[in-house]
């Protein structure tokens, strides 16, 4: 059984790249185009991890992360923030929001897979 991943980013190219990377590593990928859609989907479908851009229309990634971590139904779902925002203040805000990992763009696909593995998600789906 593969792991189910929700990827939220308002850039279609980034969504396509992330889908391709994760598909190759046998993850089941669903996408959302903004923070509001991501939060709604994460609350209705059980995902094994949520990967969020920070700068999105509607709710930003920090807000979505905070809402997921504050909700007992989704608090245990790992959240990875994947963003171009790389200042220390941004990282601090991500940590304060409860993210499990903070990666900056441009990113290494191998590093993303390593981070997911460190969060307990691997190819075997266990």
């Amino acid at each position: 059984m593969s792991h189910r991943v929700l990827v939220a980013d308002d850039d279609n190219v980034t969504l396509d790249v992330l889908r391709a990377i994760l598909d190759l590593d046998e993850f089941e990928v669903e996408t959302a185009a903004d923070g509001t859609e991501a939060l709604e989907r994460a609350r209705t479908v059980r995902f094994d991890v949520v990967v969020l851009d920070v700068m999105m229309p509607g709710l930003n990634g920090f807000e979505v992360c905070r809402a997921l971590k504050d909700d007992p139904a989704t608090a245990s779902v790992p959240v990875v923030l994947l963003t171009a925002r790389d200042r220390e203040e941004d990282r601090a805000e991500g940590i304060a929001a409860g993210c499990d990992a903070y990666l900056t763009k441009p990113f290494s696909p191998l590093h993303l897979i390593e981070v997911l593995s460190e969060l307990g998600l691997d190819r075997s789906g266990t």
Side-chain angles (χ1 to χ4, degrees), residues 85-97:
R85 293 178 63 170
D86 64 352
R87 298 176 311 160
E88 275 306 309
E89 306 87 68
D90 299 322
R91 289 180 184 277
E93 188 171 353
I95 291 167

Side-chain angles (χ1 to χ4, degrees), residues 51-67:
V51 178
L52 299 169
D53 183 22
V54 169
M55 297 179 289
M56 295 185 288
L59 298 172
N60 69 40
F62 297 135
E63 293 167 322
V64 175
C65 180
R66 193 172 294 108

Side-chain angles (χ1 to χ4, degrees), residues 20-32:
I21 291 165
L22 295 168
D23 279 347
L24 284 172
D25 226 63
E26 301 178 11
F27 288 94
E28 182 182 329
V29 181
E30 295 187 34
T31 61

Side-chain angles (χ1 to χ4, degrees), residues 2-64:
S2 63
H3 289 290
R4 181 177 270 175
V5 180
L6 174 63
V7 178
D9 199 303
D10 60 327
D11 179 67
N12 288 331
V13 173
T14 302
L15 284 177
D16 291 343
V17 167
L18 286 166
R19 179 187 291 282
I21 291 165
L22 295 168
D23 279 347
L24 284 172
D25 226 63
E26 301 178 11
F27 288 94
E28 182 182 329
V29 181
E30 295 187 34
T31 61
D34 61 48
T36 304
E37 180 184 1
L39 185 57
E40 290 171 2
R41 297 199 57 187
R43 286 181 168 161
T44 59
V45 176
R46 177 70 181 163
F47 291 99
D48 297 301
V49 65
V50 176
V51 178
L52 299 169
D53 183 22
V54 169
M55 297 179 289
M56 295 185 288
L59 298 172
N60 69 40
F62 297 135
E63 293 167 322
V64 175

Side-chain angles (χ1 to χ4, degrees), residues 101-104 107-118:
Y102 193 100
L103 304 177
T104 57
F107 66 98
S108 159
L110 289 176
H111 184 66
L112 174 61
I113 298 303
E114 288 172 3
V115 167
L116 295 178
S117 180
E118 290 169 4

Side-chain angles (χ1 to χ4, degrees), residues 68-88:
L68 292 173
K69 294 301 184 174
D70 287 345
D71 184 341
T74 56
S76 65
V77 177
V79 174
V80 176
L81 294 176
L82 180 60
T83 179
R85 293 178 63 170
D86 64 352
R87 298 176 311 160
E88 275 306 309

